[in-house]
Amino acid sequence: MIKSSLPPILHSDIGIDNIELRLLVAADLEYFNGHFPEQAVLPGVTQLDWAVRLGCKHFGYSEAVANLEVLKFQQLILPGQEVTLSISNNAAKGKLTFAYSDGENRYASGRIAFDSTPVNSKSATNISDEASQC
């Protein structure tokens, strides 16, 4: 995994086995540089990194990914957009399912499998505080 900085979290909605985070994809992110010259887009690897890191922080997984499943990038995320990152946890299988969306628009989705089961879970306040510090 790359070690990107995390985006600002504008709002969070935390459930037992799922989280929804409203993210600001700031136009000045370094990940837009050179990706692509005609129209900057948020790289898929950055989207995946954010889902892994934010999901692991909340659900207590190690960031060691074993496998990626059904990974799809449907639409481009552009500079200055706000998107919702939804992450669901299946602790019994050691998997997180994620999706980036905004209303009816779906940008990316997939499933992340880990070698180990989660060790602990963090609160909504912790995930927002930690993301803002990264």
Side-chain angles (χ1 to χ4, degrees):
M1 270 298 110
I2 62 169
K3 290 298 179 186
S4 63
S5 58
L6 293 171
I9 296 173
L10 304 174
H11 175 76
S12 60
D13 186 13
I14 309 299
I16 294 172
D17 291 323
N18 60 12
I19 58 175
E20 280 196 1
L21 305 169
R22 188 70 176 169
L23 308 176
L24 172 61
V25 183
D28 62 353
L29 288 174
E30 63 184 284
Y31 314 108
F32 290 122
N33 294 339
H35 198 266
F36 293 96
E38 332 55 68
Q39 171 61 65
V41 300
L42 186 66
V45 69
T46 301
Q47 295 173 50
L48 182 58
D49 180 63
W50 290 351
V52 169
R53 291 178 59 205
L54 291 167
C56 287
K57 282 182 182 184
H58 182 73
F59 294 109
Y61 289 97
S62 156
E63 290 184 19
V65 173
N67 195 19
L68 299 173
E69 304 170 349
V70 297
L71 189 59
K72 297 179 184 177
F73 296 95
Q74 293 108 329
Q75 292 186 56
L76 302 175
I77 297 177
L78 304 175
Q81 279 189 274
E82 289 183 17
V83 295
T84 298
L85 171 58
S86 303
I87 305 173
S88 298
N89 181 33
N90 184 334
K93 293 186 176 184
K95 294 182 180 183
L96 297 177
T97 301
F98 74 92
Y100 286 91
S101 62
D102 185 25
E104 296 296 315
N105 294 323
R106 193 161 173 116
Y107 297 101
S109 61
R111 203 166 36 238
I112 306 159
F114 299 92
D115 284 328
S116 60
T117 57
V119 288
N120 62 13
S121 180
K122 297 194 176 196
S123 71
T125 304
N126 287 346
I127 197 166
S128 294
D129 291 347
E130 289 179 26
S132 66
Q133 294 171 4
C134 292

